[in-house]
């Protein structure tokens, strides 16, 4: 399943300038399209990407409308980066640190005086955040019904293995079961073997490209 992502996504960026027809073509690539609460985009008001909240909300309405016209699923998501609203202070600290390898976080801009709160919103909060749509049925659909549809399509995936209380380390046991291998070649082979099991051999171009980006 391919979702569109947050404010840095192709769908959100292109929606500001592309025609309806062009946007339907772009949206057609995705299995579902995401929109976040307006608060998640407040930094774009500070940088001048949107003149005001009304323009921002109209852009979100446009994305929702075109997604439905394209026959795709529109889903309200939180773009969650921290658990509680008050935890935003920790994210502010992270944003204002230099990135590993150099550079700054995309939100670390002089014009951005307040970053959005991307806490784990409750269903009640999400419903309230989309009241600007002025359509209770639509709000219920994108906040409750459609996320459940996507959830039903997703199988459970063990992201971090159960270590029985031992701190997790992304290392691989050798065949003798005693030593560990940190060799990048081993990790690469494991990744491509698993990817081939899932997606076939040869790998689809987009999958192979994504793996190369992550590994190298």
């Amino acid at each position: 399943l391919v979702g569109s992502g947050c404010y840095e996504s192709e769908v959100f960026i292109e929606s500001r300038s592309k025609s309806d027809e062009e946007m339907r073509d772009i949206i057609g690539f995705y299995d579902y399209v995401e929109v976040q609460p307006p608060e998640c985009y407040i930094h774009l008001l500070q940088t001048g990407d949107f003149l005001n909240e009304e323009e921002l909300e109209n852009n979100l309405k446009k994305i929702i409308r075109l997604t439905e016209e394209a026959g795709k699923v529109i889903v309200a998501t939180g773009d969650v980066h921290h658990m509680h609203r008050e935890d935003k202070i920790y994210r502010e600290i992270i944003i204002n640190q230099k990135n590993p390898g150099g550079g700054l976080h995309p939100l670390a801009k002089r014009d951005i005086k307040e970053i959005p709160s991307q806490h784990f919103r409750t269903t009640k909060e999400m419903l309230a955040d989309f009241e600007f749509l002025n359509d209770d049925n639509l709000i219920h659909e994108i906040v409750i019904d459609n996320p459940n549809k996507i959830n039903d399509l997703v199988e459970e995936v063990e992201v971090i293995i159960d270590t029985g209380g031992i701190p997790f380390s992304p290392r691989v046991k050798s065949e003798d079961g005693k030593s560990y291998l940190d060799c990048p070649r081993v990790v690469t082979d494991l990744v491509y073997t698993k990817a081939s099991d899932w997606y076939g051999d040869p790998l689809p171009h987009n999958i192979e490209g994504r793996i190369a980006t992550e590994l190298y």
Side-chain angles (χ1 to χ4, degrees):
L1 291 171
V2 181
S4 64
C6 63
Y7 77 95
E8 295 181 293
S9 71
E10 176 189 27
V11 170
F12 187 81
I13 292 172
E14 298 296 344
S15 65
R16 297 180 56 205
S17 59
K18 298 294 186 183
S19 68
D20 287 6
E21 183 177 355
E22 290 174 311
M23 281 306 302
R24 281 190 286 267
D25 287 339
I26 291 172
I27 289 170
F29 170 78
Y30 298 92
D31 296 302
Y32 62 96
V33 171
E34 301 173 51
V35 286
Q36 285 84 40
E39 184 182 3
C40 291
Y41 306 97
I42 60 169
H43 57 290
L44 299 178
L45 300 177
Q46 300 169 60
T47 56
D49 289 88
F50 291 93
L51 294 177
N52 49 49
E53 290 184 21
E54 182 180 7
E55 186 178 61
L56 169 60
E57 291 173 356
N58 285 337
N59 196 65
L60 295 175
K61 290 177 181 178
K62 175 183 178 180
I63 293 173
I64 293 170
R65 173 176 60 82
L66 293 174
T67 300
E68 292 188 323
E69 290 178 7
K72 298 294 183 173
V73 180
I74 182 75
V75 179
T77 62
D79 192 19
V80 177
H81 283 71
H82 47 95
M83 183 61 68
H84 307 290
R85 181 177 288 275
E86 58 268 26
D87 295 336
K88 186 176 78 168
I89 188 172
Y90 304 117
R91 179 155 166 76
E92 290 173 338
I93 293 170
I94 293 172
I95 286 171
N96 286 285
Q97 299 298 312
K98 289 185 178 180
N99 285 338
L104 296 173
H105 191 280
L107 291 176
K109 296 180 180 179
R110 183 169 50 189
D111 294 335
I112 299 177
K113 306 302 182 184
E114 181 183 0
I115 65 170
S117 180
Q118 292 167 284
H119 59 283
F120 186 35
R121 288 167 164 81
T122 64
T123 301
K124 184 176 180 180
E125 287 179 298
M126 289 291 284
L127 291 170
D129 283 333
F130 284 91
E131 286 182 349
F132 70 91
L133 296 175
N134 295 316
D135 184 332
D136 290 342
N137 290 332
L138 177 59
I139 296 170
H140 192 280
E141 178 185 357
I142 70 173
V143 172
I144 297 175
D145 297 339
N146 288 349
N148 280 322
K149 285 181 181 178
I150 299 301
N151 184 65
D152 290 341
L153 294 173
V154 178
E155 63 181 308
E156 288 191 16
V157 178
E158 187 179 64
V159 178
I160 300 177
I161 63 174
D162 184 359
T163 63
I166 300 173
F168 177 77
S169 177
R171 295 182 294 174
V172 183
K173 282 187 178 181
S174 62
E175 292 183 358
D176 62 14
K178 297 179 181 179
S179 61
Y180 286 83
L181 302 174
D182 291 302
C183 174
R185 179 73 258 172
V186 173
V187 175
T188 301
D189 288 345
L190 287 171
V191 169
Y192 276 100
T193 298
K194 176 60 73 173
S196 296
D197 289 342
W198 284 357
Y199 302 108
D201 189 9
L203 290 171
H205 179 72
N206 62 319
I207 300 298
E208 187 169 20
R210 182 66 186 187
I211 291 175
T213 299
E214 295 290 345
L215 288 178
Y216 304 122

